[in-house]
Amino acid sequence: MDYWTALRDRMRTGAQRRMIALFDDAARAADFSVTLDDPATGPILFDYSKTNIDAETRGLLLDLARQTGVEARRDAMFRGDRINETEGRAVLHTALRTLDGSVLVDGLDVMPEVRATLARMETFARDLRDGRIRGAGGRITDVVNIGIGGSDLGPAMAVQALAPYADGPRCHFVSNVDGAHINDVLDGLNPETTLVIVASKTFTTIETMTNAQTAKAWMARSVAEPTRQFVALSTALERTSAFGIDPARVFGFADWVGGRYSMWGPIGLSLMIAIGPEDFRAFLAGAAAMDRHFRTAPLGANMPVMLAMVGVWHRQVCGYAARAVLPYDQRLARLPAYLQQLEMESNGKRVAMDGSELTVPSGPVVFGEPGTNGQHAFYQLIHQGTDVVPCEFLLAMRGHEPALAHQHRLLAANCLAQAEALMRGRSLDEARALMAARGLTGDALDRQARHRVFPGNRPSTLLLYPRLTPATLGAIVALYEHRVFVEGVVLGINSFDQWGVELGKELAMQLLPMIEGEATTDGRDGSTATAIARLREAGA
């Protein structure tokens, strides 16, 4: 059976159906939701009832997941098979949070090394937090994590998300090679009480190493032995030693941990320093709970699978090009940016695993902003624009500020109201009645009413969790990781390589000597050559 064709037929059949009518079935909200209730996380609810998916459509989506081999591919990933075929690697970031049992790669159990690295991280973090590891000026007060992409987005997001648990040194993050970034982060810090973490698996990432050299020079102005206050998250021991970092302060990880999936291990060192080893283990435990659920729950009751198949329905079947991630949780402000990389770098592909052209669209554009801020920005387009943008709302049942519980209730009311407004909309007749109540008549009434029509019938989902704790955050991030995996399997692509980032890097290294005046622009296009000439004139 051609499930793609069958799903498109279902989409056309239900195109004129109002989602609100599906709630004539009193059991819809329960039937079109999934719950994970684990001791580590408490109950997490994923509600996808405010979509146009009905029972028959869901059945076809699950059949598509089975036909494309989601279950077999999932089992192969957890088993340690080399499912990253273009790079010949296993995909085992899940092993970093599965701290018991064994995981084999090419017949070798990788877990002893995983546990040993975690133990080294914990010892280092405790010694730093307790003041046994000190800087030239005494106790370490600030930590600067220098990385980019997966070496930055994950820990930067998580440190902000878990601010209520952060009782260690202040953590700062530098990623952009723009000198303004490192200048503004270092400005005001005391180099004698600052620790610098350089996060680069190969220790060759140009942006990271440029910033690392700048930080080293900054520290050297006040500290006699600056690299004694440096740590490396890298596997390149020769390069870290050449930089001057003590091998005892180098934490490595295997090639089966992809950059954007890496904060569960050494890349998460800044997070561990901020919140402590015990809460970091709770973070791992929450992710492991989602892993167990993903591995064992039937497809229709499997949260990552259903989140993924809702995404497939909206992007590949309905053709909606974008997806909005809307956390009604200020501390998750960096989650949309984190998911941009996770989803768009993973599934932003144009060919299938075998190299053939995709016959359906690949991943959507992902964007977002915390509520309620986004309501005063781009929600206008989501409610009344010409394109449908499926929305994914996230909401905690409780905040961390009991004295401000009334504000959390207002936040929750806004979140639920936005989802309901997207679904219900406002008809022209309702808008006319509204304007008539304000005393308008005739053409003025009709004209003003039309501006107040909301098409409605716009889909959204809700992820509802008890409170943003380390374990809950771990579960949320693992949920989205597995969602990306499932969507990639359904599309037949490799979600674990990222060749699209390479070409621009190669060209940048060709252009740098031209900007510095050490090479001519012969052979470059007129636009690039003109920009380089202007940069030279400006003394760049």
Side-chain angles (χ1 to χ4, degrees), residues 127 185 445 523:
D127 287 348
V185 169
L445 182 151

Side-chain angles (χ1 to χ4, degrees), residues 154-174:
M157 177 274 294
V159 166
Q160 180 175 348
L162 298 179
Y165 301 87
D167 54 2
R170 295 181 295 268
C171 288
H172 314 268
F173 295 87
V174 173

Side-chain angles (χ1 to χ4, degrees), residues 412-435:
N414 271 273
C415 177
L416 300 181
Q418 291 298 322
E420 186 172 344
L422 286 166
M423 177 178 65
R424 287 184 179 276
R426 178 189 286 154
S427 70
L428 181 58
D429 286 344
E430 290 170 329
R432 282 172 171 153
L434 183 67
M435 292 298 97

Side-chain angles (χ1 to χ4, degrees), residues 427-453:
S427 70
L428 181 58
D429 286 344
E430 290 170 329
R432 282 172 171 153
L434 183 67
M435 292 298 97
R438 297 182 183 181
L440 296 182
T441 60
D443 290 344
L445 182 151
D446 189 67
R447 182 176 65 255
Q448 291 290 343
R450 290 182 183 279
H451 286 281
R452 290 161 174 80
V453 170

Side-chain angles (χ1 to χ4, degrees), residues 363-397:
V365 173
V366 177
F367 71 99
E369 180 76 9
T372 56
N373 292 7
Q375 292 175 202
H376 295 266
F378 54 81
Y379 278 41
Q380 169 63 45
L381 181 147
I382 289 174
H383 280 291
Q384 289 187 306
T386 55
D387 292 313
V388 174
V389 180
C391 295
E392 298 181 356
F393 294 98
L394 296 91
L395 176 67
M397 299 178 200

Side-chain angles (χ1 to χ4, degrees), residues 242-371:
F243 189 89
I245 299 176
D246 185 343
R249 293 191 177 180
V250 178
F251 300 88
F253 47 101
D255 67 1
W256 37 256
V257 180
R260 57 192 174 278
Y261 298 89
S262 62
M263 70 170 157
W264 314 104
I267 293 298
L269 182 61
S270 57
L271 175 62
M272 183 185 283
I273 291 170
I275 66 175
E278 291 74 21
D279 280 330
F280 189 84
R281 280 195 176 245
F283 174 63
L284 300 182
M290 186 60 71
D291 292 344
R292 289 191 298 273
H293 171 78
F294 180 46
R295 295 184 75 173
T296 60
L299 295 187
N302 192 304
M303 194 176 293
V305 171
M306 289 313 306
L307 179 61
M309 298 318 292
V310 171
V312 168
W313 168 253
H314 287 149
R315 176 66 183 118
Q316 281 75 36
V317 180
C318 298
Y320 305 145
R323 171 187 297 158
V325 178
L326 308 170
Y328 275 68
D329 200 319
Q330 177 60 30
R331 293 189 176 102
L332 287 177
R334 294 291 290 162
L335 182 67
Y338 174 76
L339 294 180
Q340 281 178 343
Q341 186 199 25
L342 180 64
E343 299 199 28
M344 296 172 71
E345 192 167 89
S346 295
N347 289 346
K349 310 293 171 59
R350 56 180 290 277
V351 296
M353 196 79 78
D354 62 4
S356 61
E357 297 278 344
L358 290 182
T359 58
V360 294
S362 61
V365 173
V366 177
F367 71 99
E369 180 76 9

